[in-house]
Amino acid sequence: MSSEPPRQGLDYRSAGVDIDAAEDALDRIKPAIRATFGRRVVADVGSFGGLFRADDLGREPVLVATTDGVGTKTRIAAASGRFDTVGRDLVQHCINDALVQGAEPLFFLDYVGVGRLRPERVAALIGGVAAACRDHGVALLGGETAEMPGVYPEDEFDLVGTLVGVVEREAVIDGGRVEAGDVLIGLPSVGLHTNGYSLARRIVEERMGLGWDDPFPGAAGATAAEVLLAPHACYLEALRPFLRDPALHALAHITGGGLAGNLPRVLNGLGARVARSAVPPLNVFEQLVAAGGVERDEAWRAFNMGVGMVLVVAAEEADRIEADLAEADRRPFRLGEVTGPGPGVSWLD
Amino acid sequence: MSSEPPRQGLDYRSAGVDIDAAEDALDRIKPAIRATFGRRVVADVGSFGGLFRADDLGREPVLVATTDGVGTKTRIAAASGRFDTVGRDLVQHCINDALVQGAEPLFFLDYVGVGRLRPERVAALIGGVAAACRDHGVALLGGETAEMPGVYPEDEFDLVGTLVGVVEREAVIDGGRVEAGDVLIGLPSVGLHTNGYSLARRIVEERMGLGWDDPFPGAAGATAAEVLLAPHACYLEALRPFLRDPALHALAHITGGGLAGNLPRVLNGLGARVARSAVPPLNVFEQLVAAGGVERDEAWRAFNMGVGMVLVVAAEEADRIEADLAEADRRPFRLGEVTGPGPGVSWLD
């Protein structure tokens, strides 16, 4: 005696998607989003598209647009339950990417994909995005939160951002003036920024045997999560005084691929010689490289190793620019110089 | 007698990230990306940010920006091994979102997050994005592909896009002129577009018991994957002739939340009466609703149910606009009308 069990009708919630939760998350963060609106934002939160007035952006304005994520840094945020920092990472990373072409940021849009939508977590994530936008004068013009069971495991998420900035056409920094003999000035990173996390996580978990709340070696009591979640530095304020300086020939943001992967992108086909010993060492990299037994060249490919941004400047103006940066407490260091035609970066040490 | 096994040094690839695979994917699609560049794109593929000339965009240009994904439609693409269609979904969805505020699309950026980066799949995904961009005159200005083991299961991926368009300030469509008595004209969808996939997938797999290569009932031999992956319709070309028409008071793109979730967003606080029987039925919804035992109101919340876009037009001009749309073979149908102050949509049937 068996009978087929009664079949309930399916609904969207039983399929893993909760539309109310998405609206709840949005309601929590509307004030923080509105606080980023400057005079140019026309429509309110919740429109199909964000509206941004683009009159008088300049004489020959060029929009600079960039999209990126924060990599598997999200996994540390998820594992340690700290959702309020990676939004800042994302905004500051994108600002740097637009900055290297000379652009001031205008507006930003975010996307959060999650396995299960927990309004308080999404609110913390987007709250971090909104706070960073506000700090740098960027309008948080739009965003989307998508609950995608199966695409993401229940507690994982991805965070993606798009930034649009503007630069006068004659002020675009494109590396076209880079020449042999130009000097490379580095600015320090504050840690991994948003690259190398798959490797770093594996070292912390498997080789160092640390939980995310354990103290990280040599970090004055900071936990592994705190050290690895240190937000991506933003170089906008440090570099703004130099964006129209004719001696600034190029800027390279050191992200995935490290110094050797990013610097050649702006060298106009030329090569570079770099002294790795010139970079002030950061404890986090020393610990990770030692514990992971990571080969030196591999470490410089997976991590920024302490260099967040590189300025390529005319040799005769290098002392002046370096002094100005030091004066403003930006802690510049002289990394090396541009050589003849490529290929890429050669290490001096 | 045991000894600790020798520990190998870790590298980025052993941690699940293959930088070469990302570069390989990019190389495959560069020509398709360049083919989308119009006269306004300044820099080439591979710059830190995409550059887009924004001079003479209009007298008082307003940028309209929107970011979105394609939901768990990605899971059907992954499960059925068809990676060339969801890119078009994404572009056309975003074009519609900007269109409802009156905007012509300018440029697009994509983001692909994957568990394991397989260059041929990423190339197919972005190839679909590029083809749709080209069809609609949109520059594919930038993008990012991120390999994120653990955030995504190995064969899953997410696809996110950001579109920026432009509209003259005086031509922004914001629903401000919507009034009681305005007529609602619907335009047909071609299927689920990009919403309701978590529910649809569950019905197909659990209730209909279909594999993705099995014929879908009532679909003239098309497989379940083909029916469910039908690309999101684009309404740009259909609606372009009406964007400056003073009788067009608002546009609603029917996405997540269905007709009742999207139409009220543009009704200026007013309500609407809608005749569901006016919508030409689509086989895919009839099959899904029947097999899933989905309640009628729930179905209209989870799915677009055959309505992809709604025009809100002045009553006295409704016949003219409907006739013009029919003449252009856009298959309009009269859905209902705007009523007094809210709340939301009431169903006439």
Side-chain angles (χ1 to χ4, degrees), chain B residues 38-73:
Chain B
R39 65 177 179 90
R40 291 187 178 276
V41 175
V42 179
D44 198 6
V45 185
S47 304
F48 282 95
L51 269 62
F52 190 89
R53 294 182 58 166
D55 42 4
D56 71 269
L57 284 181
R59 208 167 47 80
E60 280 194 296
V62 173
L63 298 177
V64 178
T66 181
T67 198
D68 222 317
V70 297
T72 54
K73 196 166 189 170

Side-chain angles (χ1 to χ4, degrees), chain A residues 110-131:
Chain A
D110 67 271
Y111 171 90
V112 181
V114 294
R116 174 165 290 279
L117 202 161
R118 295 190 170 86
E120 70 286 359
R121 293 188 186 177
V122 171
L125 283 171
I126 304 178
V129 170

